[in-house]
Amino acid sequence: MSDMAITIEHISKEYPGRRALVDVNFSVKRGRIHGFLGPNGAGKSTTMKIITGVLRPNGGSVKIMEGARIGYLPETPPLYGNMTVINYLNFVQQLYTLKVKKNLRPIDEILNKCGLIDVKSRLIRNLSKGYKQRVGIASTLVSNPEIIILDEPTVGLDPKAILEIRDLIKELSREHTVLLSTHQLHEANLLCEDITIINKGEILMTGAVEEIRSKISGTQQLEIEVEGLKEESLSKLEASCSVEISNRIESDRSIKLTLKAKEGGDHRAKISQFFSSEGAIVISLSERTLDLEGIFKEVTGVRHA
């Protein structure tokens, strides 16, 4: 059995006067949280609608692991405000029953998993946005899907609701493969094991977060703080240690440097020895790693908050 839950191959989508997706290729591994990252308008929602069959592509194919059901939550959940939470979920279940005759998930189990027991008898229109999002996620579980696709699941929520939805997604990932789109890089950094970066309808990079970080980082980058460093010593640093000074912050007592190696390998010991020989005291020395925001900026050149 393949370890891929979703495989997208050469997907393209065109609208009059605009190409929304251009030769999109990526895969989502079973049992993982996969982040689909990109600025607004990059093509995330279009891709997700194609995966779920809501839209037809102009070319390419989508392969879903054999027998898998998909639960899909669009960016704006299709909720009925005049229904209670439990009535709405029962309604969704009845719709699925028309096509799927067995293995639907019990509503009480869904209410409990999504933290909706206490509000199950309330009208949806009277719920907070965070609880409405919970109801939307709960509706994706009714068919007992192997794959859950969430389009911008935390957009517009307050900080408390974001934390709660984040915890819920982590909980769901224990039983389901999760593909979620977001333009919030911090959110993906906390949740995702794998990421795909899309911009202007084209995939820029895809893979495990650590693999992508390694590819982007390339040669080693170091951050160091030293005391007692002479200016003439600083001028010798780049040539002596094969590094480039990319940032420099001075204070009354110390100087902080960001260094980028000009060649491969670990340069920490060499740099420590250099400063010691120059009579400087190393206060701290650490390897700099890119978070998802740094990766996104490196790959796309888009400055993103």
Side-chain angles (χ1 to χ4, degrees):
M1 182 182 292
S2 172
D3 65 346
M4 295 301 171
I6 305 170
T7 303
I8 296 99
E9 296 180 332
H10 306 293
I11 288 293
S12 62
K13 181 64 179 177
E14 297 181 9
Y15 296 105
R18 182 171 70 92
R19 299 180 73 188
L21 299 175
V22 182
D23 196 31
V24 168
N25 296 272
F26 70 96
S27 297
V28 177
K29 291 183 179 179
R30 296 177 62 190
R32 292 168 70 100
I33 303 178
H34 192 113
F36 196 27
L37 304 182
N40 290 330
K44 303 188 299 296
S45 294
T46 299
T47 303
M48 288 182 152
K49 288 176 181 176
I50 289 172
I51 293 171
T52 57
V54 175
L55 283 179
R56 286 181 177 272
N58 293 106
S61 65
V62 176
K63 298 176 182 177
I64 307 298
M65 65 182 185
E66 186 176 353
R69 297 175 185 170
I70 295 177
Y72 171 52
L73 183 67
E75 184 175 343
T76 303
L79 306 177
Y80 295 102
N82 61 342
M83 299 179 74
T84 65
V85 172
I86 192 165
N87 285 344
Y88 173 71
L89 293 177
N90 281 323
F91 167 70
V92 174
Q93 188 178 70
Q94 288 168 12
L95 293 178
Y96 276 113
T97 303
L98 297 174
K99 189 171 184 179
V100 181
K101 304 299 183 183
K102 58 183 179 178
N103 297 329
L104 297 180
R105 196 157 192 168
I107 297 301
D108 286 345
E109 185 180 314
I110 294 171
L111 289 167
N112 185 61
K113 179 170 284 293
C114 294
L116 294 169
I117 292 290
D118 292 340
V119 299
K120 67 179 182 180
S121 299
R122 290 179 58 183
L123 292 176
I124 291 174
R125 67 167 175 255
N126 295 332
L127 298 178
S128 68
K129 188 164 185 179
Y131 269 103
K132 288 177 181 176
Q133 195 72 327
R134 286 171 181 258
V135 175
I137 292 174
S139 70
T140 71
L141 300 179
V142 170
S143 68
N144 201 21
E146 289 80 8
I147 301 167
I148 298 173
I149 296 179
L150 306 173
D151 194 355
E152 300 279 4
T154 60
V155 70
L157 301 183
D158 62 62
K160 181 175 181 294
I162 288 174
L163 288 173
E164 292 170 348
I165 295 298
R166 186 187 300 152
D167 288 342
L168 176 56
I169 292 170
K170 289 178 181 178
E171 178 67 24
L172 294 177
S173 71
R174 296 180 182 182
E175 301 178 44
H176 310 269
T177 299
V178 179
L179 172 64
L180 66 92
S181 74
T182 182
H183 65 276
Q184 299 293 334
L185 301 168
H186 176 68
E187 202 63 30
N189 204 43
L190 293 171
L191 280 172
C192 301
E193 302 157 281
D194 307 297
I195 58 171
T196 294
I197 301 174
I198 188 171
N199 194 34
K200 297 180 180 178
E202 298 186 50
I203 301 299
L204 303 182
M205 191 163 283
T206 186
V209 172
E210 289 303 321
E211 291 175 5
I212 291 178
R213 183 181 285 122
S214 176
K215 289 177 184 177
I216 296 299
S217 297
T219 53
Q220 190 176 44
Q221 295 187 56
L222 300 170
E223 292 182 341
I224 185 167
E225 182 176 5
V226 293
E227 286 184 354
L229 184 64
K230 300 173 184 177
E231 188 64 34
E232 56 265 31
S233 299
L234 192 59
S235 64
K236 293 191 294 184
L237 172 63
E238 292 184 320
S240 298
C241 297
S242 299
V243 296
E244 175 186 332
I245 300 172
S246 58
N247 194 38
R248 170 177 173 173
I249 301 174
E250 296 187 48
S251 65
D252 292 337
R253 297 188 58 189
S254 67
I255 181 169
K256 295 180 179 179
L257 302 170
T258 301
L259 308 176
K260 185 172 183 179
K262 295 178 181 178
E263 55 191 39
D266 190 342
H267 295 254
R268 284 174 288 188
K270 183 192 299 184
I271 289 169
S272 293
Q273 291 169 4
F274 171 81
F275 284 121
S276 178
S277 68
E278 293 294 314
I281 300 171
V282 176
I283 300 171
S284 64
L285 174 60
S286 60
E287 189 167 17
R288 182 171 177 246
T289 58
L290 289 174
D291 59 11
L292 281 184
E293 182 169 3
I295 290 172
F296 192 82
K297 288 178 181 177
E298 290 280 342
V299 173
T300 67
V302 175
R303 190 167 184 82
H304 216 65

